[in-house]
Amino acid sequence: MNAFCQRKNAEDLHQMRVEIKKLNAFIFFLKKQFGSNFYANILSPVKNIFKEAGVIRTAQVNLELAKKIDLKNPNVINDLIKRIDTGSLEFCMNRLEASKMMQRFVLQMLPSLKEIRTSRIKKFFRKEIEKSNPQLLGKLSTKEWHHLRKKIKILLYVHQFLNEDIQMKIKLNRSYLNNLQESIGMLHDVEIVSGLIDRNERAGKALVKKLGGEMALQERCLHEEIQNYNSKVFSRG
């Protein structure tokens, strides 16, 4: 957070949000273990920081994708730049208060942590993978793909927290899950780009048609990737 406010580098903001996503995944794990909303409640102020940063980050991503496809509409480009500049100014003005919120969260969380049996951790992964199995949903909408990506990231982040011995016992195929969430991310990017294009322009119509084809191809590839999802997730790879 401090690095972003000093340098206004988009990657710094992205990394800050990634770290909060990891915290959120950890809190989700603790709630499943202890059945308490205590951790979620104390994380709530930090999640508000995450949402505020998300407004800026969304505009940053949209601008990057707009430049990537060489979008010609100056109104769209200027609007995104304005959102980034205005949002960044407001976000950084509240930096000190946000920092205090994060410190309070840590101070409240750490004393309450306790040991969790390996058998319960293994049960958590089995249940969450069963619930996240995309093959149970049939043909997924773009929204459902995005929701699946969030679930996969939670599994990856929680697994990352565990010590090496427990990681080996869980036998999670991190490589498969990471590749799958990245593929879903590419589908999401195509959807974002489609939303930026002026469909009334001749060039815009042609680009929308091209992107529609890319999205359909990406979805077919994803459906192939999720075949035998459960067995792939629990294999070593």
Side-chain angles (χ1 to χ4, degrees), residues 78-122:
N78 291 336
D79 180 59
L80 290 172
I81 292 172
K82 184 178 179 180
R83 280 194 224 172
I84 293 168
D85 291 343
T86 304
S88 298
L89 181 63
E90 291 178 1
F91 180 76
C92 291
M93 283 177 65
N94 298 322
R95 179 176 57 172
L96 290 177
E97 183 57 35
S99 181
K100 290 176 183 176
M101 286 180 187
M102 292 182 182
Q103 290 168 11
R104 281 197 294 269
F105 164 72
V106 173
L107 290 172
Q108 287 177 291
M109 180 187 71
L110 289 180
S112 64
L113 295 179
K114 53 189 175 183
E115 188 175 349
I116 301 169
R117 293 196 305 273
T118 302
S119 59
R120 293 188 62 174
I121 298 173
K122 291 170 76 172

Side-chain angles (χ1 to χ4, degrees), residues 7-209:
R7 304 186 300 196
K8 298 299 185 293
N9 187 317
E11 184 60 23
D12 290 326
L13 189 70
H14 170 60
Q15 288 304 320
M16 187 206 82
R17 279 173 46 86
V18 167
E19 294 307 315
I20 295 180
K21 285 179 183 179
K22 290 178 183 178
L23 278 176
N24 190 52
F26 187 51
I27 296 305
F28 175 81
F29 170 69
L30 293 178
K31 183 179 179 181
K32 291 292 181 179
Q33 297 300 318
F34 305 129
S36 169
N37 287 322
F38 169 75
Y39 296 103
N41 290 338
I42 62 173
L43 182 67
S44 184
V46 179
K47 290 183 78 170
N48 289 336
I49 299 168
F50 177 83
K51 290 176 183 177
E52 289 171 14
V55 174
I56 307 166
R57 184 59 191 155
T58 298
Q60 288 174 341
V61 170
N62 288 358
L63 184 61
E64 289 168 11
L65 292 171
K67 289 178 178 178
K68 189 175 180 180
I69 63 168
D70 194 25
L71 193 71
K72 303 297 184 184
N73 191 328
N75 292 331
V76 172
I77 300 295
N78 291 336
D79 180 59
L80 290 172
I81 292 172
K82 184 178 179 180
R83 280 194 224 172
I84 293 168
D85 291 343
T86 304
S88 298
L89 181 63
E90 291 178 1
F91 180 76
C92 291
M93 283 177 65
N94 298 322
R95 179 176 57 172
L96 290 177
E97 183 57 35
S99 181
K100 290 176 183 176
M101 286 180 187
M102 292 182 182
Q103 290 168 11
R104 281 197 294 269
F105 164 72
V106 173
L107 290 172
Q108 287 177 291
M109 180 187 71
L110 289 180
S112 64
L113 295 179
K114 53 189 175 183
E115 188 175 349
I116 301 169
R117 293 196 305 273
T118 302
S119 59
R120 293 188 62 174
I121 298 173
K122 291 170 76 172
K123 184 179 179 181
F124 165 83
F125 276 93
R126 281 197 303 271
K127 287 184 71 173
E128 291 306 313
I129 286 169
E130 284 290 343
K131 285 162 61 177
S132 70
N133 189 342
Q135 288 184 277
L136 301 175
L137 300 174
K139 184 172 173 58
L140 279 72
S141 65
T142 308
K143 186 177 181 179
E144 287 171 327
W145 280 120
H146 188 57
H147 186 59
L148 172 61
R149 190 185 189 202
K150 288 182 179 180
K151 287 186 174 182
I152 290 172
K153 285 187 173 183
I154 287 174
L155 290 170
L156 289 169
Y157 290 149
V158 172
H159 192 260
Q160 188 179 17
F161 287 127
L162 307 175
N163 67 45
E164 192 172 333
D165 288 343
I166 300 178
Q167 284 184 357
M168 293 300 291
K169 290 175 183 176
I170 300 298
K171 296 183 179 179
L172 195 72
N173 190 336
R174 293 184 59 86
S175 177
Y176 167 69
L177 285 175
N178 194 51
N179 289 337
L180 181 57
Q181 70 86 13
E182 285 186 353
S183 296
I184 297 171
M186 291 169 62
L187 180 69
H188 187 56
D189 286 350
V190 174
E191 184 187 28
I192 291 173
V193 169
S194 297
L196 296 173
I197 297 167
D198 186 348
R199 287 166 166 73
N200 296 317
E201 294 180 349
R202 186 173 179 180
K205 290 178 181 178
L207 189 52
V208 166
K209 186 177 180 180

